[in-house]
């Protein structure tokens, strides 16, 4: 906004006399159309203090003065006659020298200046002078010139850019045109339009696209640059270059193709050698696994034979027991039926009781023997400590997809278990490892809930003595807090139990653990006594 006028061209300055103390006193006499004609008139109409025409005339110490020339704190009464005479005097506009032809009574002069077209006002847009005494201040113009100034010369007026149609201040138009993306500029290569004169004009923003796609003088690399042709040719000459150097391009491409073929052959040979070594390793591993499986089958056959013999022995003892029971029943019947010889009956009864005691002892011994056979049988079919060596391939893809990975089932004693890995578990960036108790064929013979101690180990391929491992065990608190994890399974498997943050994804991908995008995880489980 324009600042308030405070200089020597204020309305008061133009019609009143301004004293040294900065106050405005009587009317300016030089503005009168008809000058005061006599000394008497001057004495009646002029203030004895400021020598201007009386303004609110009053008497003070026998002389006429303006009301504003009386010292402060003194009461005074206006002289109405003088005030009316002064108000009716005709004066010209103080801006007559600038061209204003207005004239009227003194009383209307101040109101005229509010509307005078020659009165200086500040630019409504607030533009400043760039030179002269007013340099750096808001520009002043006659009121009548403001519309023309705002339309034609004010540096802060808004203009419409003819190229991008955006509104820009006049003082900023030249810098805008230097950056305007729609301003036409000559092609940097000075290309011309066929059939026209002069350099082709392109919008500033379209220059990169013009050089990349259209300009016939833009130099481009030969399409056979990658094969060794190091020529840069103007776009319009490219077809001619390709035709003239076709035989050279052919030799370069054939040389490059042969080189790539040799590199491909070497790469394929390396892959073939690696695959051959891998196949040999797998065959050796399969052979060792086959021998191990054969041993297990032989042990199973021997265990089955022992089980058959134990079953037959149990059947024999049961038959013998049954026959002894029949004999005892017969003896008791004979005792009841025979009443002739009580002494003989007592002896027979004592013998029968002795035989019964012997038979019961034999049965107890056979039951103990059967129990020992079962324990031997169970000890041959499983081990008290279970260990799973689990090789996991495609580790990077599994971590990226955050998918769960399950192992094959394995036995700990007669308990059936299964391992599970959840990549990027609840703790962000961590790997979770869990153990499931699965439904097995011996669950009715086992003690529940199960207690065990587990150890998780990631093998270090570089230093086998520096594997990454943690150990934990199922305590009484865990049994009470997570009973569904350790009870006898009713579904295919129970709820899992393990660790949420075994190792971070970043650590597991280190070379010492991850080899050929694979890791080896050992899960060791040791059964603990029931609580």
């Amino acid at each position: 906004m324009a600042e308030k006028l405070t200089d020597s061209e204020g309305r008061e300055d133009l019609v009143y006399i301004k004293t040294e103390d900065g106050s405005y006193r009587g009317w300016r006499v030089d503005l009168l159309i008809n000058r005061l004609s006599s000394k008497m008139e001057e004495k009646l109409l002029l203030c004895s203090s400021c020598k201007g025409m009386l303004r609110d005339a009053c008497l003070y110490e026998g002389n006429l003065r303006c009301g504003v020339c009386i010292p402060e704190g003194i009461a005074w009464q206006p002289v109405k006659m003088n005030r009316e005479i002064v108000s009716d005097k005709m004066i010209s506009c103080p801006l007559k020298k600038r061209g204003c032809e207005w004239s009227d009574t003194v009383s209307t002069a101040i109101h005229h200046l509010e509307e005078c077209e020659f009165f200086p006002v500040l630019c409504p847009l607030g533009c400043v002078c760039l030179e002269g005494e007013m340099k750096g201040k808001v520009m002043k113009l006659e009121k009548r010139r403001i519309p023309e100034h705002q339309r034609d010369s004010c540096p802060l007026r808004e203009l419409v850019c003819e190229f991008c149609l955006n509104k820009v201040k006049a003082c900023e138009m030249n810098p805008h045109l230097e950056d305007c993306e729609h301003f036409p500029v000559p092609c940097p290569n000075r290309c011309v339009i066929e059939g026209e004169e002069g350099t082709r004009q392109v919008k500033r923003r379209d220059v990169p696209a013009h050089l990349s796609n259209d300009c016939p003088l833009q130099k481009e690399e030969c399409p056979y640059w990658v094969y060794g042709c190091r020529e840069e040719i103007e776009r319009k000459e490219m077809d001619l270059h390709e035709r003239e150097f076709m035989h050279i391009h052919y030799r370069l491409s054939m040389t490059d193709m042969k080189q790539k073929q040799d590199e491909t052959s070497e790469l394929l040979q390396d892959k073939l050698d690696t695959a051959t070594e891998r196949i040999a390793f797998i065959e050796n591993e399969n052979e060792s696994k086959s021998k191990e499986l054969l041993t297990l089958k032989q042990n199973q056959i021997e265990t089955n034979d022992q089980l058959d013999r134990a079953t037959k022995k149990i059947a024999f003892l049961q038959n013998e027991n049954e026959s002894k029971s029949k004999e005892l029943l017969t003896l008791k019947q004979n005792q009841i039926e025979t009443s002739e010889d009580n002494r003989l009956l007592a002896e027979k009864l004592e013998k029968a009781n002795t035989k019964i005691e012997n038979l019961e002892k034999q049965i107890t011994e056979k039951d103990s023997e059967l129990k020992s056979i079962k324990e031997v049988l169970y000890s041959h079919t499983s081990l008290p400590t279970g260990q799973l060596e689990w090789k996991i391939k495609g580790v990077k893809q599994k971590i990226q997809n955050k998918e769960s990975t399950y192992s094959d089932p394995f036995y700990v004693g007669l308990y059936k278990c299964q391992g599970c890995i959840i990549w990027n578990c609840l703790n962000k960036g961590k790997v979770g490892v869990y153990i499931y108790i699965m439904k097995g064929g011996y669950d009715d013979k086992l003690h529940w809930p199960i207690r065990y101690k587990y150890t998780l180990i990631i093998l270090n391929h570089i230093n086998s003595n520096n594997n990454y491992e943690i150990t934990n065990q199922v305590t009484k608190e865990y049994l009470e807090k997570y009973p569904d994890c350790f009870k006898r399974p009713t579904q295919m498997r129970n709820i899992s139990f393990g660790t949420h943050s075994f190792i971070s994804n970043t650590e597991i991908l280190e070379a010492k653990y991850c080899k050929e995008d694979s890791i080896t995880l050992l899960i060791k489980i040791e059964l603990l006594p029931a609580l």
Side-chain angles (χ1 to χ4, degrees):
M1 297 293 293
E3 61 185 49
K4 184 178 179 181
L5 278 172
T6 57
D7 64 353
S8 61
E9 291 188 339
R11 289 186 287 116
E12 288 81 359
D13 284 346
L14 296 177
V15 293
Y16 296 125
I17 295 173
K18 188 176 183 181
T19 61
E20 293 180 357
D21 62 0
S23 62
Y24 297 103
R25 304 299 176 90
W27 297 94
R28 285 174 50 186
V29 180
D30 59 317
L31 297 178
L32 291 173
I33 294 177
N34 297 319
R35 299 281 180 162
L36 299 178
S37 57
S38 64
K39 293 291 184 180
M40 181 59 68
E41 191 172 15
E42 290 181 2
K43 186 175 180 180
L44 293 175
L45 297 181
L46 295 183
C47 175
S48 61
S49 176
C50 65
K51 305 305 179 183
M53 281 202 307
L54 290 166
R55 179 180 174 192
D56 295 328
C58 65
L59 284 172
Y60 177 73
E61 295 181 351
N63 296 317
L64 290 170
R65 286 193 183 186
C66 295
V68 294
C69 291
I70 302 293
E72 293 183 6
I74 297 177
W76 54 271
Q77 294 292 329
V79 180
K80 294 182 179 180
M81 179 188 70
N82 294 72
R83 181 170 62 182
E84 291 174 356
I85 293 173
V86 171
S87 299
D88 291 339
K89 285 291 184 180
M90 297 294 292
I91 66 173
S92 300
C93 177
L95 301 175
K96 183 177 181 179
K97 291 182 180 180
R98 296 191 179 186
C100 183
E101 298 178 354
W102 176 89
S103 64
D104 206 337
T105 61
V106 169
S107 61
T108 60
I110 293 294
H111 302 292
H112 162 70
L113 289 176
E114 293 179 354
E115 302 176 354
C116 182
E117 293 294 322
F118 293 87
F119 187 77
V121 294
L122 299 175
C123 172
L125 298 179
C127 66
V128 298
C129 296
L130 301 178
E131 57 187 13
E133 295 180 357
M134 296 293 291
K135 182 177 181 180
K137 296 184 178 181
V138 178
M139 184 176 291
K140 285 184 182 177
L141 302 96
E142 294 178 355
K143 186 183 293 185
R144 64 194 178 101
R145 297 189 184 278
I146 289 295
E148 177 185 358
H149 170 71
Q150 288 182 298
R151 183 182 66 250
D152 299 329
S153 59
C154 181
L156 298 181
R157 70 187 187 280
E158 285 191 341
L159 301 177
V160 177
C161 175
E162 62 177 306
F163 303 105
C164 66
L165 304 180
N166 290 327
K167 290 184 178 180
V168 184
K169 291 182 180 179
C171 61
E172 298 174 356
M173 181 57 75
N174 288 337
H176 167 73
L177 292 178
E178 292 178 1
D179 297 326
C180 181
E181 292 185 350
H182 294 266
F183 187 80
V185 296
C187 169
N189 293 328
R190 302 293 177 183
C191 70
V192 299
I193 300 175
E194 188 176 353
E196 297 182 9
E197 296 182 357
T199 303
R200 183 195 299 267
Q201 298 292 313
V202 185
K203 290 182 180 180
R204 182 176 279 117
R205 70 175 184 179
D206 295 336
V207 169
H210 169 70
L211 295 176
S212 298
N213 304 319
D214 303 326
C215 181
L217 300 182
Q218 178 68 17
K219 287 189 176 182
E220 295 181 332
E221 295 177 354
C222 173
Y224 291 87
W225 183 281
V226 295
Y227 299 116
C229 181
R230 292 295 182 263
E231 294 290 337
E232 292 187 357
I233 304 98
E234 293 179 354
R235 184 178 281 117
K236 66 179 181 178
E237 302 293 337
M238 187 61 72
D239 291 340
L240 178 61
H241 169 74
E242 291 184 9
R243 289 195 301 271
E244 290 181 350
F245 290 84
M246 184 180 296
H247 59 291
I248 296 176
H249 291 163
Y250 176 76
R251 287 201 304 272
L252 289 174
S253 61
M254 290 302 294
T255 301
D256 182 75
M257 187 180 299
K258 186 176 184 305
Q259 183 179 357
K260 288 183 178 179
Q261 186 176 7
D262 293 341
E263 293 175 355
T264 303
S265 298
E266 292 178 1
L267 180 61
L268 290 175
Q269 185 62 41
D270 292 341
K271 289 185 176 180
L272 180 60
D273 294 341
T274 302
T276 303
E277 293 176 358
R278 184 65 179 166
I279 290 171
F281 173 76
I282 292 174
E283 288 178 347
N284 293 333
E285 190 175 19
N286 287 340
E287 185 177 353
S288 63
K289 294 295 182 182
S290 299
K291 292 179 179 178
E292 184 179 350
L293 180 59
L294 180 60
T295 302
L296 290 174
K297 287 183 177 180
Q298 291 175 351
N299 292 337
Q300 184 68 33
I301 292 172
E302 293 176 359
T303 302
N304 291 336
D305 291 341
Q306 291 180 357
L307 181 61
D308 290 341
R309 288 195 298 270
T311 303
K312 291 178 181 179
K313 199 166 188 178
I314 290 170
F316 171 76
L317 291 173
Q318 288 176 345
N319 292 331
E320 187 175 354
N321 188 24
E322 184 178 355
S323 64
K324 297 296 182 181
S325 298
K326 290 179 180 180
E327 184 178 351
L328 178 61
L329 180 60
T330 303
L331 290 173
K332 287 182 178 180
Q333 289 175 353
N334 292 335
Q335 185 180 8
I336 295 171
E337 293 174 355
T338 306
S339 57
E340 297 178 357
D341 194 352
N342 291 331
R343 184 182 59 81
L344 182 62
L345 181 60
E347 291 178 357
K348 288 183 178 182
L349 182 58
E350 185 179 356
K351 290 180 180 180
N353 290 332
T354 303
K355 287 184 178 181
I356 290 172
E357 290 177 0
N358 293 333
L359 286 174
E360 288 177 350
K361 289 180 180 180
Q362 291 178 5
I363 291 173
T364 303
E365 293 175 356
K366 297 302 180 184
D367 287 339
S368 299
E369 185 178 355
L370 178 60
K371 185 177 181 180
S372 300
I373 293 172
K374 287 183 177 182
E375 290 177 353
V376 172
L377 173 62
Y378 292 153
S379 65
H380 281 78
T381 54
S382 59
L383 296 173
T385 299
Q387 176 172 317
L388 172 65
E389 182 174 338
W390 182 10
K391 186 167 186 179
I392 304 167
K393 300 180 180 180
V395 172
K396 295 180 182 178
Q397 186 68 28
K398 294 180 186 297
I399 291 177
Q400 183 177 359
N401 295 339
K402 301 178 182 179
E403 61 185 31
S404 300
T405 306
Y406 294 88
S407 73
D408 293 332
F410 63 97
Y411 277 89
V412 180
L414 298 178
Y415 294 95
K416 188 175 182 181
C417 304
Q418 184 179 27
C420 172
I421 290 182
I422 298 180
W423 310 94
N424 196 1
C425 193
L426 298 177
N427 296 326
K428 294 183 178 179
K430 292 285 188 176
V431 174
V433 181
Y434 303 90
I435 299 171
Y436 290 96
I437 304 301
M438 301 186 70
K439 195 173 184 179
Y442 308 101
D443 291 350
D444 58 341
K445 301 179 180 64
L446 300 174
H447 182 273
W448 302 99
I450 180 176
R451 286 187 65 237
Y452 58 85
K453 180 173 73 173
Y454 65 89
T455 302
L456 306 177
I457 303 172
I458 294 183
L459 297 185
N460 188 324
H461 299 289
I462 298 175
N463 183 2
S464 60
N465 295 323
N466 194 18
N467 298 327
Y468 185 89
E469 67 178 75
I470 65 169
T471 300
N472 199 357
Q473 70 178 16
V474 178
T475 62
K476 181 179 179 181
E477 289 75 13
Y478 285 143
L479 292 176
E480 294 174 351
K481 190 174 181 179
Y482 308 106
D484 292 339
C485 298
F486 310 105
K487 66 180 182 180
R488 177 178 175 178
T490 57
Q491 305 293 329
M492 182 182 74
R493 59 190 179 192
N494 285 349
I495 299 173
S496 65
F497 179 78
T499 176
H500 296 304
S501 54
F502 176 43
I503 189 173
S504 67
N505 293 330
T506 305
E507 290 177 306
I508 208 170
L509 292 175
E510 293 179 0
K512 61 184 179 182
Y513 299 130
C514 187
K515 181 178 181 182
E516 298 179 356
D517 198 21
S518 300
I519 63 170
T520 301
L521 174 65
L522 292 183
I523 301 178
K524 296 182 178 181
I525 300 179
E526 179 183 350
L527 295 178
L528 300 176
L531 295 176

